[in-house]
Amino acid sequence: MSSSLLPGEGAVGSYGDLLKRGRRGDNLTPHHIPSNAFMLFKVPGYTKDKGLK
């Protein structure tokens, strides 16, 4: 298995923008990131400076 990323893999943006950028068969799936409030409540030691901006 290759360790390189697919074109567009790792792209960030709004869910809607990622859906628009994708194409059927590109082997990529847009993903929701939990809100900062949810993470603060659920994940001990979480800080927003440890995630993507």
Side-chain angles (χ1 to χ4, degrees), residues 29-53:
T29 303
H31 182 66
H32 292 271
I33 301 299
S35 72
N36 188 55
F38 175 86
M39 294 297 288
L40 286 168
F41 181 71
K42 291 286 191 174
V43 181
Y46 167 80
T47 62
K48 66 182 178 182
D49 64 329
K50 293 181 182 176
L52 294 173
K53 296 178 182 180

